[in-house]
Amino acid sequence: MRAKDIAVIPGDGIGPEITQAVLRVVDAAAEKSKTDLNWIFVSAGLGALEESEELIPERTMTEIARCKVALKGPCTTPVGEGFTSVNVRLRKAFNLYAAVRPVRSLPGVETRYKDVDIVIIRENTEGLYSGVENEITPGVVMSMKVASEVACQRISSWAFKFANRRERKKVTVLHKANIMKLTDGLFLRCADEVHQNDYPNLGFESVIIDAGCMKLVQDPSQFDVLLLENLYGDVVSDLCAGLVGGLGVVPGANYGDNEAVFEAVHGSAPDIAGQNLANPLALLMSAVMMLNYLAETEGRGNYAACARLIKTAYDDALIAGETTKDLGGSLGTAEFADVIIQRIAQL
Ligand code: ATP
């Protein structure tokens, strides 16, 4: 069987070091499970801009389109000035409209909560990320929040279909439709319609987002699948990461109808870049999501077995307290990868 080509974007900041750690682990599991993967390295972000004067070189776009699946490290976006985000551009270019972030309590990771099991589904293409901002008059600027019926219905259908297929019990929309009556009102109405028309047997509730945030930190176990528009999804993802051990442990996937890009929820963390301090687990978990996605979509190969090996190995490492500093351990990025590789060899 031909090896599966996967586009890899190492990214900026901690991106290259966590990507290297993750690929070493996946390679070890792939060898053991006889899974044939072929990494196609492409660039995007600040590094690409410096090298080729293009934030996302043409080759990166063609390789993602050809491979259909990409594993992506974080890319830096300048604050308050400069170019638009690589993430936003990629999501728009490939119409990766559904961001999925599973947030789960991990064995061996001490937090305030024990039983968090939430899946965040974020609309990835519209809202305040439309990038339509202008200066009306000196000293007055505005940003346009865009919601279209097509996109609101599409993400609602995706979320309910996902919840149904994964045998989840309830979808909760977090919104602010009391203030943004048109945009959030449309988002809420579409979710309500998809529920009533197509999935009446699944639980559904709508919660105003400020109260929802309070409820999340009081008792996250009351939530199951969260459905949010773009900006709320971004903010609530980091909030939920805090419930289970921080940004180092929450993976993510961006799905379109044809392509899928897997990446951690966290950013490029320039404060710890190049110091062997970053936790590669969120990207490794994203790679596991990717392997499970390949198992579902490719219809052959040992992808699921490869994913299981990695998950068992990192679960065991976490239980044994073999973790990076952000989780209270003492291992560096590379040493954490070494530990998981050793555990894979013993499985
Ligand atoms: P962005 O705006 O690009 O999403 P962000 O605001 O979420 O980025 P990050 O770059 O993710 O910011 O970093 C936020 C904080 O979390 C930083 O202090 C960083 O060091 C820490 N952090 C992020 N990712 C990791 C990781 N993988 N391992 C350890 N610490 C991390």
Side-chain angles (χ1 to χ4, degrees):
M1 199 179 92
R2 254 194 86 220
K4 171 69 191 153
D5 286 348
I6 295 166
V8 176
I9 303 173
D12 303 314
I14 59 172
E17 57 199 292
I18 57 170
T19 303
Q20 195 191 27
V22 166
L23 295 188
R24 283 203 293 123
V25 172
V26 179
D27 280 340
E31 195 181 331
K32 178 133 186 161
S33 59
K34 299 195 170 48
T35 308
D36 243 351
L37 304 172
N38 187 27
W39 309 119
I40 308 289
F41 289 92
V42 291
S43 61
L46 269 184
L49 193 62
E50 279 157 18
E51 258 173 39
S52 66
E53 294 183 8
E54 278 181 293
L55 197 58
I56 310 180
E58 192 53 40
R59 178 171 169 265
T60 303
M61 302 302 280
T62 27
E63 286 297 353
I64 296 175
R66 185 181 67 78
C67 299
K68 307 233 178 296
V69 174
L71 184 64
K72 178 183 162 297
C75 294
T76 302
T77 307
V79 176
E81 56 176 16
F83 55 79
T84 53
S85 150
V86 169
N87 301 337
V88 172
R89 284 198 204 186
L90 280 179
R91 289 167 194 167
K92 284 196 176 148
F94 291 106
N95 211 1
L96 306 170
Y97 57 87
V100 178
R101 281 114 182 241
V103 183
R104 278 193 206 99
S105 299
L106 291 168
V109 178
E110 280 287 311
T111 63
R112 289 186 185 85
Y113 312 96
K114 287 200 172 51
D115 43 9
V116 181
D117 182 6
I118 294 171
V119 180
I120 296 170
I121 299 182
R122 164 186 177 187
E123 202 292 321
N124 232 357
T125 61
E126 310 191 317
L128 279 165
Y129 283 65
S130 63
V132 184
E133 286 194 312
N134 51 37
E135 184 176 39
I136 300 168
T137 185
V140 183
V141 288
M142 61 166 259
S143 185
M144 187 91 77
K145 176 158 168 161
V146 177
S148 70
E149 195 157 10
V150 169
C152 293
Q153 270 171 356
R154 183 175 65 179
I155 192 69
S156 296
S157 297
W158 203 98
F160 275 99
K161 190 174 168 195
F162 173 93
N164 193 43
R165 205 174 58 225
R166 301 288 166 111
E167 299 182 0
R168 310 290 299 209
K169 300 279 173 290
K170 180 176 74 169
V171 176
T172 303
V173 173
L174 296 181
H175 66 90
K176 196 78 187 172
N178 50 336
I179 304 297
M180 277 157 280
K181 295 178 195 294
L182 284 184
T183 47
D184 281 17
L186 177 62
F187 193 87
L188 183 56
R189 177 167 62 74
C190 288
D192 194 25
E193 281 172 7
V194 170
H195 171 243
Q196 285 194 35
N197 296 338
D198 303 330
Y199 299 92
N201 296 331
L202 271 177
F204 174 66
E205 66 179 352
S206 64
V207 179
I208 293 180
I209 188 157
D210 38 357
C213 287
M214 180 199 66
K215 290 179 182 201
L216 270 167
V217 295
Q218 277 182 329
D219 176 15
S221 69
Q222 64 190 294
F223 293 102
D224 188 348
V225 174
L226 296 181
L227 171 60
L228 307 99
E229 64 85 80
N230 211 340
L231 181 63
Y232 305 153
D234 182 44
V235 176
V236 170
S237 295
D238 279 28
L239 184 154
C240 288
L243 305 174
V244 295
L247 284 167
V249 297
V250 179
N254 302 288
Y255 296 110
D257 288 330
N258 299 310
E259 289 86 10
V261 176
F262 296 82
E263 63 180 339
V265 165
H266 62 71
S268 59
D271 54 331
I272 54 167
Q275 300 168 51
N276 196 35
L277 282 175
N279 188 350
L281 190 52
L283 187 62
L284 183 60
M285 294 164 113
S286 308
V288 168
M289 285 178 83
M290 179 187 78
L291 290 161
N292 285 326
Y293 170 78
L294 289 174
E296 279 174 22
T297 53
E298 295 284 304
R300 59 198 175 129
N302 294 336
Y303 305 110
C306 186
R308 263 196 310 278
L309 278 175
I310 299 171
K311 184 173 182 307
T312 307
Y314 71 62
D315 273 353
D316 290 350
L318 292 176
I319 291 166
E322 297 163 352
T323 58
T324 44
K325 294 210 170 91
D326 56 309
L327 296 183
S330 59
L331 299 176
T333 312
E335 292 70 36
F336 182 58
D338 292 340
V339 159
I340 298 176
I341 291 166
Q342 280 159 20
R343 287 187 173 275
I344 288 171
Q346 287 156 13
L347 287 172

